[in-house]
Amino acid sequence: MQRTSADGVTVLWEAAPGPGPLSAVLSFGAGTRDETAPTLGATRLVETLVMTPVGKRPHEFTSIVGEEATHFIAKGTPAEVTGFLHAVCNALLDLPTHHIEHATRLLTIDDPRTRDHRGAEPLSARYGPHALGLTTHHHPDTYSRHTPDTVRTHAATHFTRGNAVLALDGPPPPGLTLPLPDGPRPHRTTPRTRPGVPGTWQHRQIDTVSLLLTSHIHEPAAVTACHTLSRRVEHLAHDTLAFTDRVTTHTFLRDRLTLDRVLTLRPADGHGEQAAEILWHEALDLARQGPTRHELDSFNAHTRTEPDSESRLWHSLHRAVEAEHFGIPYHDTPSLLAGHATTTAQDVAHYMQRALTDAVLVVPPQVFPRLKTPHGKRLPNSDCWRPHGQHPPTPGTRFRMNPFRRVTTPRHEHGEYVLTDRGLVIRDAERDEHDIRFADIALMLHDGPGRIVLTGCGCHTHLHPQQVARGERLIAALDAAVPAHLVHTDT
């Protein structure tokens, strides 16, 4: 791995495997996890605005926004690559915000999500609408909330020379410059886990079953465990019983030393409990006994499968770029393979025992799996609605449905609100309660006289003054409690 710099930007490169075009990736350590609920979508808007003046070119180029980073990619002659990089840098120096309406329309039409949405729901369950948990909340209307000033501020914070790395598969072109805006690498904090969620199962509005397991950044036993678990579950649920699709695995960087790994599969209608129980029971079995010798040998053979030289080169460069952006310890390919080769069944079992203590299993609505913890106790549920009878009623000021609505609304839709010193409690007809703490509200949108609140658990709650008697007082209390920077007033 070679290292140099251009205009203060770190440049990483390795010799190309042979004659051919030059490939370049200008990467910024800014992704979905660096946004907040009010700035959601700003990274995609910056990327789209940067690419708008690039125009059509005779060589390959594209751009990608992920959870952790944004990449501008080009492949061509050294002169073509240099021209593309200069166009990107010039657009960031003077962001063309006069194209913001056009960019917003493009993003409204295109799929706004940054990767397979299936792997993201457990992140929302674990973190709520913050950092990694924001991935599920990208929707077309998020882009229209941004003004030119908010997008410029986001770009000035995250798309700077201090937060950039350039990776090349050959020597840098002579005289390469990267005239990016000045600025340091922004501080990135570790996402805060929602209390009471680790080591539970939870309902979400999805049609998949997912299991989130946490590991160290370079932990061979975790890689072996997830590979083995996915193969076991796939063999049972897909190959043998044929009621799910194949298992997909997703990794998300929590911090410089920690990964969240998500295994997910989609069951056929009526098979949600079976899919969840197979996934969890196979994980428990792996924690008790570890993989078989045959499974270990199969995994090691899989890791030794020789990729083509170009893939091997870019895998190495990708790890080096991550190390630069996030301070992750760099491991070269031989070191990683050596770690896998020496992993034992006991190593895998010990990893799974640790991982299952704070795992999160996410299932669709109306799915109620019967699961046990590794210690034989019932695996608790952490849904944000608290069942009546399992908690004392919350005291506070009650706002009941107005008399006319009570008469015209079916009994099972009756409900009320309870205003407390710290927040608002929604109580349904069964007396179940959903607690909304004012301090945990991530975003509030004005909807005429009503409000749409993104709560700390990730739920969207609609409040309208006509729903209850004295509803205007309820809205006024909400307006007084939510800070102005978390309020979006444009309908």
Side-chain angles (χ1 to χ4, degrees):
M1 184 71 60
Q2 306 294 316
R3 175 191 294 267
T4 184
S5 65
D7 291 327
V9 177
T10 299
V11 180
L12 305 172
W13 59 278
E14 290 193 7
L22 178 68
S23 294
V25 178
L26 180 58
S27 177
F28 294 88
T32 306
R33 61 159 293 163
D34 300 292
E35 299 172 341
T36 63
T39 65
L40 192 62
T43 307
R44 281 295 303 268
L45 257 177
V46 171
E47 171 249 353
T48 304
L49 288 170
V50 168
M51 294 298 286
T52 299
V54 168
K56 295 183 178 180
R57 290 174 177 263
H59 59 90
E60 298 178 34
F61 67 94
T62 189
S63 55
I64 301 171
V65 176
E67 280 76 23
E68 290 96 18
T70 300
H71 310 289
F72 298 95
I73 306 165
K75 184 176 184 178
T77 66
E80 289 171 336
V81 168
T82 298
F84 172 81
L85 295 174
H86 282 174
V88 170
C89 293
N90 288 333
L92 287 169
L93 281 171
D94 185 15
L95 197 66
T97 52
H98 54 281
H99 292 306
I100 194 168
E101 291 187 10
H102 175 73
T104 299
R105 285 196 299 271
L106 289 178
L107 291 173
T108 301
I109 295 169
D110 295 338
D111 181 4
R113 298 187 174 102
T114 56
R115 70 158 64 183
D116 188 341
H117 195 52
R118 294 169 52 175
E121 281 294 344
L123 300 174
S124 179
R126 190 180 189 106
Y127 302 114
H130 306 282
L132 290 171
L134 282 169
T135 305
T136 62
H137 295 282
H138 270 273
H139 298 287
D141 63 347
T142 61
Y143 304 102
S144 62
R145 301 174 193 163
H146 293 292
T147 66
D149 285 343
T150 62
V151 178
R152 277 193 291 265
T153 299
H154 190 77
T157 303
H158 296 283
F159 290 83
T160 63
R161 70 180 70 227
N163 203 31
V165 178
L166 175 64
L168 302 163
D169 65 354
L176 174 67
T177 60
L178 297 170
L180 288 166
D182 287 324
R185 179 175 299 159
H187 177 64
R188 173 176 279 186
T189 59
T190 299
R192 182 183 62 185
T193 300
R194 291 178 56 218
V197 171
T200 67
W201 69 273
Q202 186 175 132
H203 287 115
R204 286 274 156 168
Q205 293 294 327
I206 52 173
D207 59 357
T208 56
V209 171
S210 299
L211 177 64
L212 185 153
L213 302 169
T214 298
S215 74
H216 302 311
I217 194 73
H218 291 301
E219 188 168 8
V223 182
T224 306
C226 289
H227 178 88
T228 304
L229 178 58
S230 65
R231 293 297 177 268
R232 287 186 180 187
V233 172
E234 194 168 285
H235 174 71
L236 280 172
H238 178 271
D239 300 341
T240 303
L241 300 175
F243 62 71
T244 71
D245 64 355
R246 296 191 179 278
V247 178
T248 59
T249 304
H250 313 264
T251 58
F252 303 87
L253 183 67
R254 184 197 294 189
D255 57 47
R256 62 180 293 271
L257 296 177
T258 316
L259 282 177
D260 286 327
R261 302 175 182 273
V262 179
L263 282 69
T264 182
L265 68 162
R266 179 178 287 111
D269 290 344
H271 292 278
E273 280 92 353
Q274 282 179 279
E277 289 165 5
I278 285 175
L279 179 57
W280 186 257
H281 291 159
E282 288 301 320
L284 285 178
D285 185 71
L286 203 56
R288 294 187 187 107
Q289 304 183 52
T292 64
R293 182 72 257 173
H294 174 71
E295 287 173 325
L296 283 175
D297 291 342
S298 296
F299 173 70
N300 285 323
H302 168 75
T303 62
R304 289 193 302 269
T305 301
E306 188 71 16
D308 61 77
S309 56
E310 184 176 1
S311 297
R312 187 168 62 250
L313 169 64
W314 280 105
H315 287 162
S316 178
L317 283 169
H318 177 71
R319 290 195 299 272
V321 168
E322 282 191 326
E324 288 292 324
H325 276 320
F326 312 121
I328 299 170
Y330 175 72
H331 287 56
D332 60 19
T333 299
S335 298
L336 293 174
L337 292 176
H340 295 314
T342 57
T343 299
T344 66
Q346 190 176 39
D347 294 333
V348 175
H350 285 167
Y351 162 71
M352 287 298 296
Q353 290 163 15
R354 186 183 81 239
L356 287 179
T357 61
D358 67 350
V360 181
L361 180 73
V362 175
V363 300
Q366 309 308 318
V367 170
F368 294 89
R370 296 169 293 278
L371 307 173
K372 300 288 186 180
T373 70
H375 303 293
K377 297 181 179 180
R378 180 179 62 87
L379 185 69
N381 170 258
S382 60
D383 286 348
C384 49
W385 280 86
R386 301 178 303 191
H388 177 60
Q390 296 185 14
H391 60 90
T394 302
T397 305
R398 296 172 64 189
F399 290 80
R400 303 184 66 192
M401 185 179 291
N402 64 52
F404 178 77
R405 288 181 63 85
R406 288 182 66 84
V407 171
T408 58
T409 303
R411 173 70 179 81
H412 69 274
E413 294 182 10
H414 287 189
E416 63 183 22
Y417 298 98
V418 180
L419 182 64
T420 71
D421 291 339
R422 67 174 191 173
L424 187 65
V425 174
I426 304 174
R427 188 178 290 159
D428 67 10
E430 304 299 324
R431 313 295 287 174
D432 294 346
E433 292 188 350
H434 186 201
D435 189 9
I436 302 173
R437 292 174 57 93
F438 290 144
D440 294 337
I441 289 176
L443 184 68
M444 185 169 74
L445 308 178
H446 282 221
D447 182 26
R451 303 292 183 265
I452 302 173
V453 176
L454 178 56
T455 65
C457 59
C459 294
H460 283 88
T461 300
H462 294 236
L463 302 171
H464 198 280
Q466 294 181 359
Q467 291 174 332
V468 293
R470 300 174 296 148
E472 292 79 7
R473 180 183 170 191
L474 187 67
I475 298 298
L478 194 62
D479 287 345
V482 180
H485 72 278
L486 299 180
V487 179
H488 182 74
T489 59
D490 187 359
T491 57

